[in-house]
Amino acid sequence: MAHEDDAQQAVPNTPGMRTDGDGAGRRRPLRERHVEETVEVAVPVRTAYNQWTQFKTFPRFSTVVRGVEQIRPTMTVWTIGYGPLRHRFAVEIVEQDPDAYVAWRGLEQTPSHQGEVEFRPTESGGTAITVRMLLEPQGAARILTRSSRAARLTARLVRGELMNFKQFIEGLGREGGAWRGTIRNGRVQHDHPEPPRSRVAQWPVG
């Protein structure tokens, strides 16, 4: 992922938000979902998480992802498809905790989706990766999404992609890159806030 500053405004009233003791807003796991799939990979959490954040590498193992553009730390554009069919859409990362959690939302008007991925250590020293997705279609597509057949097909696709990632990262044995930033409500969190700037060039602050 790019290491550019993100100037995008926070997402107001994001569903599922809660406030922890440190006052930071964090998402709850999706209560309503159409898909939930888990796979265990034989690499440590840090390795699995670091590789997952390298979105541009997804086409190297995915059967449906054809390309990923990193626009900002919180914004990517994905191209997916089978054969000659292509679909391009933007995705915003709304929450990200290193080695633990990534949550996103599609920015399409119709259809759209929300998703999240959790990383948990296993007793064997590997990582359990859980992906949850909530599809949010409009109009007639909403009826199709509610069908058990559509849910099974989507779950099968997600499961297959997780297995592809498992084979990919276990084959590498180590991550090919990493982005360790934290995101809250669609904004990158900086460990050391910048000091106030003078409104007049070259004038000191204070």
Side-chain angles (χ1 to χ4, degrees):
M1 296 177 68
H3 288 255
E4 306 171 11
D5 288 338
D6 183 35
Q8 182 166 349
Q9 294 182 352
V11 181
N13 301 322
T14 303
M17 296 294 292
R18 63 183 173 85
T19 301
D20 285 352
D22 59 4
R26 300 180 183 178
R27 287 170 56 100
R28 297 180 184 274
L30 288 172
R31 293 182 178 179
E32 181 184 357
R33 65 187 72 98
H34 288 100
V35 173
E36 179 172 345
E37 294 291 332
T38 300
V39 68
E40 292 189 11
V41 299
V43 298
V45 166
R46 187 181 180 92
T47 299
Y49 172 87
N50 284 348
Q51 185 59 52
W52 190 278
T53 64
Q54 302 305 290
F55 300 123
K56 289 184 178 181
T57 68
F58 271 56
R60 294 177 58 186
F61 62 83
S62 172
T63 58
V64 296
V65 179
R66 298 293 177 249
V68 182
E69 303 171 46
Q70 186 81 49
I71 308 302
R72 294 190 295 275
T74 63
M75 187 72 64
T76 54
V77 176
W78 295 66
T79 301
I80 63 174
Y82 286 106
L85 300 177
R86 293 290 186 273
H87 179 54
R88 192 168 183 267
F89 58 95
V91 169
E92 180 190 34
I93 299 173
V94 291
E95 300 294 326
Q96 186 161 333
D97 287 309
D99 301 331
Y101 185 73
V102 180
W104 68 90
R105 66 169 185 166
L107 297 182
E108 305 165 282
Q109 293 185 354
T110 175
S112 187
H113 74 285
Q114 298 180 48
E116 61 190 15
V117 55
E118 290 184 325
F119 302 83
R120 302 183 307 278
T122 64
E123 293 182 356
S124 63
T127 306
I129 304 175
T130 297
V131 171
R132 302 182 187 92
M133 291 180 62
L134 171 64
L135 306 180
E136 299 177 309
Q138 303 295 323
R142 184 185 298 272
I143 299 175
L144 294 175
T145 303
R146 286 177 177 173
S147 72
S148 59
R149 183 173 182 270
R152 288 196 302 269
L153 289 174
T154 305
R156 186 181 306 168
L157 175 62
V158 172
R159 178 71 178 178
E161 295 294 84
L162 280 174
M163 293 303 296
N164 291 339
F165 179 77
K166 170 183 171 70
Q167 295 176 4
F168 179 71
I169 188 59
E170 290 181 350
L172 289 177
R174 59 185 178 85
E175 62 268 46
W179 190 78
R180 307 286 302 172
T182 297
I183 296 173
R184 291 281 180 270
N185 205 24
R187 294 181 66 93
V188 176
Q189 303 298 295
H190 300 283
D191 293 335
H192 303 288
E194 295 184 2
R197 296 179 180 178
S198 169
R199 295 184 179 181
V200 181
Q202 308 302 323
W203 282 30
V205 174

